[in-house]
Amino acid sequence: AQTVTQSQPEMSVQEAETVTLSCTYDTSESDYYLFWYKQPPSRQMILVIRQEAYKQQNATENRFSVNFQKAAKSFSLKISDSQLGDAAMYFCAYRSANDMRFGAGTRLTVKP
Amino acid sequence: KAGVTQTPRYLIKTRGQQVTLSCSPISGHRSVSWYQQTPGQGLQFLFEYFSETQRNKGNFPGRFSGRQFSNSRSEMNVSTLELGDSALYLCASSLGLRDIQETQYFGPGTRLLVL
């Protein structure tokens, strides 16, 4: 079974600094996507960034970028120039044709 | 476009009762997925519906069921409620092109408390 592991239950970052959230996964499938979702205190989950397993190039969306290490099954999220609005729960997710799994989440606090 | 809506937003039930939750997807989206979120188990996939048919199913007991209507709206039913069913139930919609890269758009959730 596919598992998604986020080893950092909580992280803290100073405003304007950079933080990296870790995620590892386990799968025997070759075709899958990886996602990072953000869930602010209002509870509406939104997509932050996604990565196709076949692409070696790391995805980037403005201040958000990933470090995708396929062989190591690692998919970390880097947030640059952190803002107060980045404070939320961040979930790493794995999706294949027949499965969708989420990690336990990392609570990110941004200090002013 | 209006986002994914879920009703009701909050619900209190007692053990043994049943409950029905509703989800209206974004206009044009044909796939609806349901998730259960709890502090202990995190986010777990319940099932996905597409064109009124269940396309995928997670590892939940048969007390959890769902259906989808011709307008893509979906309902989820939990029968014989247990205390452990207390959770935030999230609905997510997508176009349903069966492309795993497809973005899912989440609703605000229904918070169910079972007493």
Side-chain angles (χ1 to χ4, degrees):
Chain A
Q2 286 69 240
T3 57
V4 179
T5 303
Q6 292 179 249
S7 59
Q8 306 151 317
E10 296 184 356
M11 290 285 284
S12 179
V13 63
Q14 205 71 33
E15 195 176 4
E17 294 191 346
T18 296
V19 64
T20 299
L21 309 183
S22 301
C23 173
T24 58
Y25 61 97
D26 183 31
T27 185
S28 56
E29 296 180 300
S30 58
D31 188 16
Y32 56 88
Y33 265 78
L34 299 164
F35 304 83
W36 277 100
Y37 283 92
K38 170 185 176 182
Q39 189 177 39
S42 67
R43 292 289 186 179
Q44 196 109 17
M45 188 103 67
I46 56 174
L47 178 68
V48 175
I49 198 167
R50 64 183 172 201
Q51 174 80 40
E52 183 178 5
Y54 278 117
K55 288 189 177 177
Q56 292 186 335
Q57 185 176 5
N58 291 322
T60 299
E61 288 287 343
N62 301 314
R63 298 182 296 107
F64 299 87
S65 62
V66 300
N67 183 3
F68 175 46
Q69 302 290 327
K70 190 172 181 180
K73 292 188 172 68
S74 170
F75 181 61
S76 60
L77 174 69
K78 185 172 84 171
I79 306 174
S80 304
D81 185 26
S82 297
Q83 301 176 358
L84 295 177
D86 295 334
M89 281 290 287
Y90 285 81
F91 293 94
C92 177
Y94 165 100
R95 185 174 188 182
S96 66
N98 301 306
D99 200 9
M100 177 91 189
R101 289 185 184 267
F102 288 80
T106 296
R107 182 175 302 281
L108 178 66
T109 302
V110 181
K111 296 178 181 177
Chain B
K1 269 186 182 177
V4 179
T5 57
Q6 292 186 246
T7 56
R9 292 293 310 278
Y10 303 93
L11 205 50
I12 300 176
K13 291 285 187 179
T14 56
R15 278 180 298 175
Q17 286 187 311
Q18 75 164 16
V19 67
T20 299
L21 312 182
S22 181
C23 172
S24 292
I26 291 172
S27 177
H29 285 192
R30 298 170 65 192
S31 169
V32 173
S33 296
W34 288 90
Y35 298 87
Q36 182 195 64
Q37 186 177 23
T38 60
Q41 300 296 320
L43 268 161
Q44 292 184 286
F45 172 69
L46 280 154
F47 29 64
E48 179 194 6
Y49 282 87
F50 174 77
S51 289
E52 303 177 63
T53 302
Q54 189 178 87
R55 191 154 74 174
N56 275 316
K57 189 178 188 303
N59 189 26
F60 275 80
R63 300 186 296 108
F64 292 81
S65 63
R67 59 178 176 169
Q68 188 180 34
F69 302 94
S70 58
N71 62 356
S72 294
R73 189 178 70 85
S74 177
E75 287 183 349
M76 191 194 98
N77 185 274
V78 188
S79 63
T80 321
L81 283 166
E82 300 176 359
L83 295 179
D85 297 333
S86 294
L88 181 69
Y89 289 88
L90 293 170
C91 161
S93 79
S94 63
L95 289 169
L97 299 175
R98 229 201 160 112
D99 187 339
I100 59 174
Q101 72 169 307
E102 211 171 73
T103 297
Q104 289 190 314
Y105 296 85
F106 285 81
T110 293
R111 183 164 294 284
L112 171 66
L113 177 61
V114 181
L115 301 175

